[in-house]
Amino acid sequence: MATVRDLRAKAGEEPITMLTAYDAPTAEIVDEAGVDVVLVGDSVGNARLGYETTVPVTVDGIAHHVGAVSRAVEDALVVADMPFLSFGVDEKDSLENAGRMLKEEGAHAVKLESGPHTVDLTEKMVQLGIPVMAHLGLTPQRVNQYGGYPRQGTDQDEAERILDLARAHEDAGAFSLVLEHVPSNLAAEITEAIDIPTIGIGAGPHCDGQVLVLTDAVGLSEWSPSFSKQFGNVREEMETAVGDYVAAVDSGEFPAEEHSHEEADLDDLY
Ligand code: KIV
């Protein structure tokens, strides 16, 4: 099993790989491929649950997926993404919600979409033994404030604010930092400025690692952001398989003899 220490040791030596997963079979595939970190992202909301954003994802909802992923993963570090308003409102609730992911669902760490309000909370979680991955730049739980998913850190003040927050979260004890949709030169500077690993998504090649949403990476999503890349076309593969199934049932080709069984000793009914 990978640990947060392994991840820190890998930073700057070898690229860190992180992918999301939301269920047992895909988590198994991701883990067996050798990914370092499996993130049970609140992106499950739009990637798998049919919501437009991540805002409606609940603690019970994410817990369900964290449990499924933890049961399937043998080697990677499992990180539970804390949903919108499950942290930061009330300290006790924040700690209990995050603690539940480790105590009841088998995660090794939590991720918090970060800001000035998560510095002290990160410190408290770390003191209690809950490893925290910070997340700066574009934090999609703020979609209603942004009015979309705009690039972040594009002017000097904003870039400095993100760098200051990165330092503050490192000082608070975060073990790594996701940087989303920021200029690659800003990500390079932050990576240089802090010792904990940076993991980029839409943040260029200079981070210590990369993360993508699995449904985007394998080509299951209908739409994916411009900074993502499809490494396969699972949607097309599924469409073909499902179409073939429907055609085979319609034509009577399925089920064939090898898919059925007869019991010679059965009496005629009635
Ligand atoms: O929820 C998620 O999948 C994420 C990643 C995009 C980093 O937060």
Side-chain angles (χ1 to χ4, degrees):
M1 182 198 91
T3 65
V4 295
R5 279 165 168 260
D6 297 333
L7 208 69
R8 289 193 66 153
K10 214 173 171 189
E13 300 294 323
E14 270 180 85
I16 293 167
T17 50
M18 176 158 114
L19 271 176
T20 65
Y22 315 107
D23 58 49
T26 49
E28 205 173 278
I29 292 170
V30 167
D31 189 40
E32 283 173 5
V35 158
D36 298 303
V37 185
V38 180
L39 171 68
V40 188
D42 65 347
S43 51
V44 68
N46 38 324
R48 297 311 286 248
L49 301 180
Y51 295 121
E52 295 232 324
T53 71
T54 60
V55 169
V57 175
T58 62
V59 176
D60 286 345
I62 204 88
H64 196 62
H65 293 282
V66 172
V69 167
S70 300
R71 288 189 285 277
V73 167
E74 289 186 358
D75 296 323
L77 190 80
V78 176
V79 178
D81 205 5
M82 297 312 295
F84 181 54
L85 299 188
S86 69
F87 62 95
V89 179
D90 173 79
E91 188 182 83
K92 185 168 175 289
D93 288 348
S94 309
L95 298 172
E96 283 173 0
N97 288 336
R100 172 177 170 190
M101 300 303 152
L102 276 68
K103 273 174 78 133
E104 295 174 21
E105 306 300 342
H108 305 121
V110 299
K111 178 169 81 59
L112 305 181
E113 290 196 9
S114 311
H117 63 299
T118 55
V119 176
D120 290 347
L121 184 60
T122 297
E123 190 166 0
K124 185 75 188 174
M125 284 189 182
V126 174
Q127 275 170 1
L128 291 173
I130 304 171
V132 175
M133 174 179 274
H135 181 163
L136 292 169
L138 178 69
T139 46
Q141 290 171 11
R142 291 185 180 274
V143 58
N144 289 299
Q145 219 159 27
Y146 298 138
Y149 298 101
R151 293 188 174 119
Q152 300 293 310
T154 50
D155 65 53
Q156 194 64 27
D157 285 352
E158 184 58 16
E160 274 167 23
R161 199 184 72 85
I162 296 173
L163 173 59
D164 288 346
L165 281 171
R167 287 200 170 107
H169 283 82
E170 175 177 40
D171 291 346
F175 73 91
S176 62
L177 168 67
V178 169
L179 286 172
E180 181 163 352
H181 216 9
V182 296
S184 60
N185 47 337
L186 172 60
E189 280 199 39
I190 295 175
T191 302
E192 186 65 34
I194 61 177
D195 287 334
I196 57 173
T198 57
I199 302 179
I201 174 162
H206 308 297
C207 293
D208 295 303
Q210 296 293 325
V211 54
L212 282 180
V213 169
L214 183 71
T215 44
D216 296 339
V218 301
L220 181 59
S221 327
E222 237 172 339
W223 173 90
S224 56
S226 57
F227 55 69
S228 195
K229 178 173 169 171
Q230 284 191 356
F231 292 84
N233 199 334
V234 169
R235 192 176 185 90
E236 205 171 280
E237 189 73 17
M238 284 182 78
E239 280 167 357
T240 305
V242 173
D244 287 354
Y245 162 75
V246 171
V249 173
D250 281 350
S251 69
E253 190 191 316
F254 179 84
E257 243 180 80
E258 70 264 31
H259 308 117
S260 321
H261 62 103
E262 256 182 41
E263 223 29 91
D265 295 340
L266 268 188
D267 292 335
D268 284 346
L269 298 177
Y270 303 108

